[in-house]
Amino acid sequence: MTSLICVVLILCTASITVAQSDYLPVVLWHGMGDSCCNPSTMGRIKNLIQEQHNGTYVVSIMIGNSIIADEESSFLGNANDQVAFVCEKLQADPELSGGYHAIGFSQGGQFLRAVAQRCPSPPMVNFATLGSQHQGVFGFPTCDNFTEPFCEDLRLVLSQGAYLPGLQNHVIQAQYWHDPLDEAGYRQGNIFLPDINQENTINESYKQNLLALENLILVLFLQDITVIPRESSWFGFYKPGQDIELQTLQESVLYTEDRLGLKALDEAGKLHFLTSDGGHMHYTDEWFIENILPYLT
Ligand SMILES: *[C@@H]1O[C@H](CO)[C@@H](O)[C@H](O)[C@H]1NC(C)=O
Ligand SMILES: *[C@@H]1O[C@H](CO)[C@@H](O)[C@H](O)[C@H]1NC(C)=O
Ligand SMILES: *[C@@H]1O[C@H](CO)[C@@H](O)[C@H](O)[C@H]1NC(C)=O
């Protein structure tokens, strides 16, 4: 465990292709258990973007000094440190100095959102997240039948340890564990998500930076049973104090008080709610080309 915790974060770009092109570069952040350089996930998307967008420069974020370390860092580490590290790397990359589009895959979506909010330079222009957990999760992946006592018990048990500092600082998934039965514990104990969601204090620059986006595209997978509740991909979540009834983003304080600029983005026609008819992160190349790529021009 210690050696894993001490893993030095090194970000590199997955096989860089530089090309003159009319398209802005694209930055990808992969999901849990995935890596920068998996040919069937990030590699496939990188190729797809480059085929469709004239060889534009694509960076697939890698944390750690090897593909294995990168994959490990999607489970172990501190999301705040990872976001800061990625920010430095993006700033150091001359190819990105004119701005970039970003796509976050599953948990990579909320981490890239933190980059957008905390790291305004170079500017992120259009930003899409696929199956991300913007309001966190309250449930064990695939255990989504809460009339089945086992699933309900499991999430209550997981909640008991999630906000302990020993776990918070080292387990990535604990940093977006959101217990609606204990909102106060979540706000105080969770070191990442309440901060980027402006739960405790309002950081005006987070809001200004997010408002600078031209478009924010949120994709929800209709048959997602990994993200619980799946509405989190659209900033929906359980109403505070219970774990059955859901509220939409538009019903939440985050929106009604416009703490993060999402309401303003929505009213300006810059916030897009898309669905994909499939399980978590199941989509075809055709779907991606039709629904996501038009935003990256
Ligand atoms: C594609 O890129 C080449 C240079 O790499 C450029 O000459 C050409 O105009 C670009 N085409 C389009 C359609 O952007
Ligand atoms: C707001 O966020 C920025 C970027 O992370 C940080 O530098 C600044 O200290 C924060 N401001 C406050 C008041 O916390
Ligand atoms: C959920 O669990 C209950 C209780 O075990 C069971 O009766 C029901 O069929 C399950 N529903 C689904 C959709 O699996």
Side-chain angles (χ1 to χ4, degrees), residues 18-86:
V18 182
Q20 299 293 319
S21 130
D22 296 338
Y23 296 97
L24 276 183
V26 180
V27 172
L28 314 175
W29 193 327
H30 65 79
M32 177 176 86
D34 199 2
S35 81
C36 58
C37 311
N38 181 341
S40 62
T41 60
M42 296 303 99
R44 162 186 157 213
I45 294 300
K46 183 185 174 194
N47 290 339
L48 201 58
I49 294 169
Q50 291 187 327
E51 274 165 28
Q52 301 284 323
H53 284 182
N54 202 16
T56 197
Y57 180 63
V58 177
V59 176
S60 182
I61 286 169
M62 173 173 171
I63 295 171
N65 53 12
S66 68
I67 290 176
I68 299 288
D70 181 41
E71 201 178 312
E72 265 171 20
S73 75
S74 74
F75 297 105
L76 295 172
N78 177 311
N80 294 312
D81 294 346
Q82 294 186 3
V83 166
F85 193 78
V86 167

Side-chain angles (χ1 to χ4, degrees), residues 145 147-149:
N145 179 357
T147 51
E148 167 66 64

Side-chain angles (χ1 to χ4, degrees), residues 38-198:
N38 181 341
S40 62
T41 60
M42 296 303 99
R44 162 186 157 213
I45 294 300
K46 183 185 174 194
N47 290 339
L48 201 58
I49 294 169
Q50 291 187 327
E51 274 165 28
Q52 301 284 323
H53 284 182
N54 202 16
T56 197
Y57 180 63
V58 177
V59 176
S60 182
I61 286 169
M62 173 173 171
I63 295 171
N65 53 12
S66 68
I67 290 176
I68 299 288
D70 181 41
E71 201 178 312
E72 265 171 20
S73 75
S74 74
F75 297 105
L76 295 172
N78 177 311
N80 294 312
D81 294 346
Q82 294 186 3
V83 166
F85 193 78
V86 167
C87 177
E88 277 178 29
K89 286 297 165 187
L90 300 183
Q91 285 173 341
D93 187 339
E95 296 287 332
L96 301 179
S97 61
Y100 63 94
H101 302 310
I103 309 175
F105 298 82
S106 196
Q107 69 182 19
Q110 57 266 31
F111 300 155
L112 270 175
R113 179 161 63 84
V115 170
Q117 293 173 203
R118 292 177 183 166
C119 185
S121 169
M124 192 187 286
V125 179
N126 288 309
F127 176 32
T129 73
L130 276 62
S132 297
Q133 300 89 41
H134 289 294
Q135 278 293 0
V137 293
F138 186 58
F140 190 77
T142 73
C143 209
D144 71 329
N145 179 357
F146 299 109
T147 51
E148 167 66 64
F150 174 72
C151 286
E152 184 64 8
D153 289 350
L154 184 59
R155 67 180 177 181
L156 297 179
V157 167
L158 287 171
S159 257
Q160 310 225 312
Y163 303 129
L164 299 174
L167 220 75
Q168 269 300 308
N169 291 304
H170 307 301
V171 177
I172 292 290
Q173 286 69 39
Q175 296 161 37
Y176 57 87
W177 185 262
H178 184 169
D179 182 350
L181 306 174
D182 183 15
E183 291 283 346
Y186 159 70
R187 285 197 296 268
Q188 286 155 24
N190 187 309
I191 61 169
F192 175 71
L193 200 60
D195 177 75
I196 65 163
N197 285 353
Q198 311 270 52

Side-chain angles (χ1 to χ4, degrees), residues 114 117-120 195 201-206 209:
Q117 293 173 203
R118 292 177 183 166
C119 185
D195 177 75
T201 54
I202 299 221
N203 185 325
E204 203 49 45
S205 65
Y206 285 7
N209 294 339

